[in-house]
Amino acid sequence: MTYQRYARAEIDVSAVAHNVRALKGLTRRGTLFCGVVKADGYGHGAVEMARAVQNAGAERLAVATVEEGVELRKAGIAGTLQLLSEPPASAVDLILEHRLIPTVCTRQFAVALGRRAAGIQREVRYHLKIDTGMNRIGVPAEHAAKFAAGLKDFPGIELEGTFTHFATADVPGDWDFESQTTQFNDALAEMRTEGVDPGIVHAANSPATILHPEVHYDMVRPGLSLYGFHPSPETATRVDLRAVRSVKAQVSYVKRIGMGEGVSYGLTWRAAAPTTVATLPLGYADGIHRAASNSMEVLIGGKRCRQIGRICMDQFVVEVPRGVEVSLGDEAVIVGTQGDETITTEEFAEHAGTINYEISCGFGMRL
């Protein structure tokens, strides 16, 4: 008999392929598709998601850190792989060894990269990040053209692409989105005036890919939507996305408690009458946010069961509704479908007071 933990995540790789095709269908012919598989593929498994996204037709992959890129290379993931942020200069050797395409937004890093590449008679491609108002990283839009021109003839490096990132692409008609788009277009025009070809121009994250075809440029780079999540309610009617992951557990304990008895740390919930409760063997160490305590629901036997008491590191408890029979080993669905009921990641996120992005990345590798 093979051991299997009583808590697990199930990944539908065919749903990833469907989502890639659906998103590519929103772009004009010839637009490159860069699938973002950072943060362990948004918690779904970076290597498996990278393969699925590539097999579905993505020309490129993107990650956030050098370590994420190295992991994919060591797993045999070939093709173009780029970093969405500028790493420390100490990462230059790893970038060259694993053929990663870094982001550049400071001259110090560009010089370190170029000198090292030229020293081993290599030329490494990079993408210039322009800050158009998110104020996180990037060369300020008004300085981008001169910055790029200053690196044009620097040995060892070659500008392959230019990009920005939107802060409010998920809000239709938003003024800040329009302002960022204008700043980006102006910066691109100034680069060309300075004699710098911006290369592959890209800006569209998931919401911009779905809602704003005018900023698809040469490439789109969706992340969240690859995994079946909608970045905003407005995108739900624009494209059919399929959920990639379900989170399930099996009941590990069932008992009857008396009126007035409490459950879990702090005894924050007490039974108003004799009640059947069931324990599930996963908790906040697996991504079941403690903030959802006494709020979230799970599905058992196709019925919604309310979570009660504080969610613990490794376990939490649910109240079994009257008329529902629950036994040791019965399947519980935390995210997914059972019978006619579905609990979405978005619903779970609402109970936890956060967003689907965080919930998705938070499901731990113990599952």
Side-chain angles (χ1 to χ4, degrees):
M1 182 177 181
T2 302
Y3 165 75
Q4 185 180 52
R5 187 187 171 197
Y6 261 15
R8 65 190 185 278
E10 295 179 356
I11 305 297
D12 181 0
V13 177
S14 68
V16 179
H18 167 86
N19 295 337
V20 171
R21 289 192 294 266
L23 292 162
K24 282 177 71 74
L26 300 176
T27 66
R28 68 182 185 277
R29 185 178 296 274
T31 303
L32 295 174
F33 191 97
C34 180
V36 181
V37 294
K38 64 180 182 176
D40 193 40
Y42 284 60
H44 294 74
V47 174
E48 294 80 5
M49 293 300 97
R51 291 194 180 115
V53 171
Q54 281 187 328
N55 290 340
E59 290 85 6
R60 291 171 170 247
L61 298 172
V63 294
T65 70
V66 172
E67 290 81 0
E68 291 173 342
V70 171
E71 177 192 8
L72 295 183
R73 289 298 193 221
K74 287 185 175 180
I77 301 298
T80 304
L81 182 55
Q82 58 193 87
L83 306 175
L84 294 176
S85 57
E86 183 183 273
S90 56
V92 164
D93 285 340
L94 285 172
I95 289 168
L96 293 168
E97 177 185 354
H98 295 284
R99 308 178 318 282
L100 307 179
I101 299 177
T103 285
V104 166
C105 55
T106 67
R107 183 170 178 83
Q108 294 92 325
F109 176 75
V111 169
L113 180 67
R115 284 178 175 168
R116 182 62 178 142
I120 58 172
Q121 298 184 325
R122 286 270 303 276
E123 187 167 72
V124 60
R125 295 171 290 167
Y126 74 91
H127 283 227
L128 173 66
K129 171 66 182 292
I130 298 179
D131 177 23
T132 56
M134 192 164 176
N135 291 312
R136 193 169 59 176
I137 62 168
V139 179
E142 62 271 25
H143 303 313
K146 291 193 179 301
F147 180 91
L151 297 178
K152 184 178 177 183
D153 297 318
F154 199 87
I157 56 175
E158 177 187 6
L159 176 63
E160 185 195 52
T162 304
F163 72 110
T164 194
H165 193 66
F166 293 118
T168 60
D170 55 337
V171 183
D174 182 74
W175 182 89
D176 287 304
F177 171 80
E178 299 296 337
S179 175
Q180 283 194 263
T181 301
T182 298
Q183 289 187 61
F184 188 50
N185 288 335
D186 288 348
L188 294 172
E190 290 176 20
M191 287 175 66
R192 295 183 177 107
T193 298
E194 291 281 348
V196 178
D197 180 356
I200 300 168
V201 176
H202 53 109
N205 52 7
S206 284
T209 299
I210 299 169
L211 297 174
H212 301 286
E214 72 275 14
V215 296
H216 285 179
Y217 298 109
D218 302 314
M219 182 170 75
V220 297
R221 49 169 208 276
L224 184 77
S225 54
L226 296 178
Y227 311 100
F229 302 118
H230 281 281
S232 70
E234 287 76 14
T235 67
T237 59
R238 303 292 188 92
V239 63
D240 172 40
L241 300 177
R242 296 180 186 172
V244 171
R245 174 176 47 208
S246 299
V247 178
K248 301 178 180 180
Q250 289 170 265
V251 173
S252 59
Y253 201 79
V254 181
K255 70 179 296 184
R256 190 82 173 162
I257 63 174
M259 182 177 68
E261 289 193 70
V263 169
S264 194
Y265 291 114
L267 302 177
T268 59
W269 181 92
R270 292 183 182 273
T275 303
T276 299
V277 299
T279 301
L280 301 181
L282 70 172
Y284 57 76
D286 301 291
I288 310 300
H289 285 222
R290 189 172 182 269
S293 297
N294 291 301
S295 175
M296 62 177 283
E297 295 178 321
V298 305
L299 304 177
I300 304 178
K303 304 293 183 182
R304 285 180 173 260
C305 300
R306 187 164 66 97
Q307 188 278 324
I308 55 175
R310 286 182 181 156
I311 294 167
C312 307
M313 182 181 292
D314 312 301
Q315 302 174 86
F316 67 85
V317 181
V318 299
E319 179 183 11
V320 179
R322 290 183 181 179
V324 175
E325 295 291 329
V326 175
S327 301
L328 181 70
D330 283 355
E331 183 178 85
V333 173
I334 292 87
V335 172
T337 298
Q338 190 181 68
D340 296 328
E341 289 280 355
T342 297
I343 295 177
T344 64
T345 300
E346 287 74 16
E347 177 185 334
F348 183 26
E350 184 176 350
H351 288 300
T354 185
I355 56 176
N356 51 11
Y357 291 77
E358 184 179 8
I359 294 297
S360 178
C361 296
F363 287 123
M365 289 303 294
R366 292 203 313 185
L367 293 175

